[in-house]
């Protein structure tokens, strides 16, 4: 019983730390281009829009 209580308390204390350690994922960003430009997905840059 004492072991189960100790393990339960240890898990309760470490769970928030482990959740915060995973952090936020910021690998998806939205890129916008100026008026008259469009995003070239292959290079990831803004290029003049030929249809504008």
């Amino acid at each position: 019983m004492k072991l189960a209580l100790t393990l339960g308390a240890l898990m309760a204390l470490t769970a928030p730390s482990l959740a915060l350690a995973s952090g936020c994922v910021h690998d998806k960003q939205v890129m916008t281009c100026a008026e008259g430009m469009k995003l070239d997905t292959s290079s990831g840059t803004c290029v003049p829009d030929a249809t504008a």
Side-chain angles (χ1 to χ4, degrees):
M1 178 71 178
K2 195 173 190 181
L3 178 62
L5 184 59
T6 303
L7 288 176
L10 183 63
M11 288 173 55
L13 290 173
T14 58
S17 299
L18 294 175
L20 289 174
S22 66
C24 297
V25 178
H26 295 288
D27 50 342
K28 291 191 178 191
Q29 297 180 355
V30 176
M31 183 172 178
T32 57
C33 296
E35 189 174 332
M37 305 286 276
K38 69 177 183 177
L39 180 64
D40 179 15
T41 54
S42 62
S43 66
T45 60
C46 293
V47 294
D49 188 3
T51 60

